Amino acid sequence: MAAGRADRADPVRRAGRPAGPAHPRHPGPAGAGVIEVLRAGPLTTVQDLGRPGWAHLGVPRSGALDPAALALANRLVGNPESAAGLEITLTGCELRPSRAVTVAVTGADAVVRVGRRAGDVGRPLSVPAGAVVRVDPPRDGLRNWLAVGGGVAVEPVLGSRATDTLSGLGPAPVRDGDRLPLGPAPGPPAPVDVTVGRSVPREVLLALRPGPRHDWFTAEALDRLFGTAYAVSPVGDRVGARLIGAALPRAVAGELPSEGVVLGAVQVPADGQPLVFLADHPTTGGYPVIGVVDDVTPLAQARPGTTVRFHGPQR
């Protein structure tokens, strides 16, 4: 799924990457082991809490689409919350560690297995060396986050190990056959019997603050944005969530010079359909931004067709 460029409606142009394994020369700490990717699925990426503070150089934050879910998975296995793990999209994945590790899976409700043994989302799981960890496709929702004791120790770029799918910074998306280096084993995992997961709503409600370019749209456009339902388009990714619904008519025609955009910015291309920028959003864009969403986390689990409604910020 592709969200589209920030300043034009064309598909995203991603940075070119060399052929071959995504992580061919990342040996990691000596003796710390690796985790082999047997099945990566369509989009599994290495993510941590991102690389904030570089927007002035054109570098977006990136990082996990649900930072709290990744942080929880890391706490469950004894890692610091900032450790890198895997963000798994829609179809699950299969992994095999070279050493005994603890893993934890958070996010969407899914079946997790260690060898033939069933596990649970939201609990630390002991994995013997060479055992296969399988995360099945989620029953609902869209994404899972997997942490492994020691963290995924690929080389950091600008202080983060996160994969930025738009700019190409960080490691390439994970592919079958990759061998991801692990960091040294941390302390014991958290003594947890059960964690309370977040249910996936059938309707996503997003608080939106109008501006900075809401004056480029008619009053009818704002009425439509707040008064009608939209649906998540199949054309979306970590860059942004495209929505389908009532087109938002412009009051000002013509071109807008590219200007800064932030996480949660709702940009409106020429077709009038809103696009909500997510973690890998660009830092500038040339279409007007009608408003900014306070928290885009609910969109991390929104499958195509999910209903989305906007409302004003809570006071």
Side-chain angles (χ1 to χ4, degrees), residues 76 120-124 191-197:
L76 288 170
D120 295 318
V121 169
R123 295 184 64 180
V192 174
D193 290 326
V194 65
T195 58
V196 178

Side-chain angles (χ1 to χ4, degrees), residues 5-165:
R5 290 180 60 186
D7 55 352
R8 296 292 182 266
D10 302 327
V12 171
R13 291 184 181 177
R14 288 171 175 75
R17 298 185 185 273
H23 313 282
R25 295 185 179 89
H26 293 302
V34 300
I35 190 161
E36 182 183 2
V37 180
L38 304 179
R39 182 175 64 84
L43 183 61
T44 295
T45 56
V46 177
Q47 297 296 338
D48 55 19
L49 299 184
R51 47 180 68 85
W54 297 96
H56 64 294
L57 297 179
V59 178
R61 181 186 185 109
S62 194
L65 287 178
D66 187 341
L70 176 61
L72 172 60
N74 274 318
R75 292 198 305 271
L76 288 170
V77 301
N79 290 342
E81 292 186 356
S82 59
L86 297 179
E87 182 175 280
I88 306 160
T89 306
L90 193 59
T91 65
C93 70
E94 292 184 19
L95 311 165
R96 182 167 57 203
S98 66
R99 65 168 167 85
V101 295
T102 301
V103 302
V105 178
T106 57
D109 182 26
V111 173
V112 182
R113 293 188 179 277
V114 178
R116 296 185 178 182
R117 173 168 55 94
D120 295 318
V121 169
R123 295 184 64 180
L125 304 171
S126 296
V127 183
V132 174
V133 178
R134 188 179 78 196
V135 181
D136 283 353
R139 297 184 178 97
D140 57 11
L142 192 60
R143 293 179 174 91
N144 289 100
W145 289 266
L146 181 145
V148 56
V152 177
V154 296
E155 193 70 22
V157 177
L158 296 179
S160 170
R161 295 180 166 91
T163 298
D164 183 337
T165 59

